[in-house]
Amino acid sequence: MLKNELDKDKLLGTLNHNRIYVFLVIVIILMSIGAPGFMRSSNVIPLMKTSLLPILVGIGFTFVMIGGNFDLSVGAMINVGALMVMGEFNRFYAIFGGEPAGAAAVFGAWTVAFLIALAAGSFFGLINGLLVAKGKVHSFIVTIGMLTTLSGFVYTYSKGNTISANSYALVDIIEKPLLKLPYIEFFTMRSLITIAVLVIFEILLVKTSWGRGLFMVGSNKEAAWQAGIDMERKIIWTFVISGFTAALGGILFATSMNAAVPNYGERGINPLMLVLASTIIGGTVMTGGRGSVVKTAVAVITIQAIFNGLIGMGLGFDSQVLSAGVLLGAVVLYEAYVLYKESLRKGERPALLPEAEKLKVNHRGSKSKVSGEQSPEAAQGA
Amino acid sequence: MSNTKQDIRKTSHNSFTLIVNKFGVFFMILVLSVVGVLVSPSFLSSTNLLNILNAVSYLGIVAAGIAFVIFCGQYGDLSAPMTMATTGVICVEFMRYGLWYGIIAAVIAGAVIGMINGFVIGKLRVNAIIWTLAMNFILEGLVRWSYKGTQIYPDMATEKTYTTGFFLPIMAKLDPNIMDIDLVSRAAAFNGLATTYPLGVPLVLYVMFGVMITGYIIMSKTTFGNQLKVVGSSYEVGKMSGINATRTVMMAFMMSSIFASIAGVFMTSLNQVGAFYIGQGYDFQAVTAIILGGMSLSGGRGSMIGVFGGVFTLGLISNILTLLGIGTFTQKMITGAIFITVVAVNAKSLRKLGRDYA
């Protein structure tokens, strides 16, 4: 009987670990019934394309969360990446000679702008990481301060205006479908870059000793220290990765639109909410030490599918905001309840439970009696 | 790590460090005042000082509430902005029956939000940041969904007004005569809340000082305040010494939400419109003020006097930067940078003193 119970626990645990795939299937089935034409190619491709930005941002966010911290500054990092790539492109395009210089100027300017924007994101991430790891300040405080600083910075950088690039050459390349077939049309340069980055970081997390060490840092700092892991450096790297991926997301998003605004996500659905919800739904534990980049990405697609389906059912934009909030709240509550139940059972040994019942231990001060009962047995055994 | 490295923590405190730690914010106010006088001769005029205080009075009310949350060892209440917006909207709905009905309804709504926050965080021990952030998004969704993206004006009474909202449809169903209420005078009374100047000082300033003094008494002079301090210093110790830690944390969050709802009513009255974006950014500013005021994020340290100092410092910084002709967005950037620096220095000095980090 006990064995069966353990098996049941194991099965439920496996199901819980892979719950996001179950979620996705359920959502797809429900939305296909509720909103006709949900699975049509013309609906699926925009859905997947809106998921690209949160997927990229979610990579870094998951890394930071596995390390046991939070990065609330990702929303501002997106804007930093988006605005800087546009602003720097225009500057260097002019320096390299502008339109008369031809393709060389476009290529050179985009390369420099990409590098500068990515460096900026990584740099701000590095500051976050240094303050958290070396300064020992709580990550929430550091990143919320960074959020404010950066949102001031992007407005000052753009003077509050929309910045658009002076050349359309890159949009044509980055948003052009490789094959003009239904569903396959999704594969553009942008989506391929996103998928490649996703795969690289998943391999880094799961297959390398660096990634395994990160799990250890998140789940048990003491053990990680005993194992000789340089925790501070790992934490710093997670924040750098977060800044890098968020900036990359912003860059790709801006180049696909050929424009960047300083207030992206301020009035619509907050990207931070989307990423936080997907990371937690995707199975990353709030206290760190467990998580997966791919599952976060699947969770992003699931949430986008819910949004898309709600629009398809004719419920309007505001129902999206509500559903996202309620979903996040429900998942946080569920996770908290599980952790609460676990904390109640701390120190319990399931294998010893039947024996404890046999002993009939009285919880109120009958310790001496129990030991008295045990001693003859011990004598017999000897 | 302690077994490999020598313990470098000091056991005897340098009294100078302690004074700086405790009254650092007032030292900062002194320096800023000198800078302000150098920048503009009209800085010390009573009109300017009153303006500074008036500008931060809403922040002061919110910060006084969040101070309780930080004092009891939770990292902050990020649901404050949407609590302000939600309670403001509810106040506008209920002000149809009279101003006091509106204010009482708003405070009750705030208390309910705080109770939910407190229960989840106190009982289930969720990370306060994640839960209050989630709560913020839930409330935002509720307001935007029930108003279908529109705003509510206090003096608006068309047929359509009573079809959207939290309680308006129910009100219209229960009492069909609601359309005949003299809404214009009631709306004028509501909008007058933020523009009343008893004895030449804004009403909201009196409220801020009232809230701060109440908060000071509760935090420093009552048993509940002491319990907060124990729970804030160490949750386990508080629990083992017989304090109902769950209830203490819950009360702290209720204080935060009730104070936020008072600020929300005044903020809505100032804007003369109830909408979901009222109060945006107040969470961060309040935490900044509280940290500047010497309250430690690890809980159990600091006082309401320091919070007032922090709030006043933020007002001074903003005022001086405006006098220097620096725009709002650059101000935001500078405030954020100051915040990060202060927190980092504060954490370092606490470690030097041999205290835990935060």
Side-chain angles (χ1 to χ4, degrees), chain B residues 321-334:
Chain B
L321 290 178
T322 311
L323 286 176
L324 283 171
I326 291 171
T328 327
F329 298 126
T330 317
Q331 279 188 27
K332 212 173 168 186
M333 198 164 96
I334 292 172

Side-chain angles (χ1 to χ4, degrees), chain A residues 33-46:
Chain A
I33 296 167
F38 176 77
M39 284 307 284
R40 216 175 283 157
S41 164
S42 57
N43 189 45
V44 169
I45 288 174

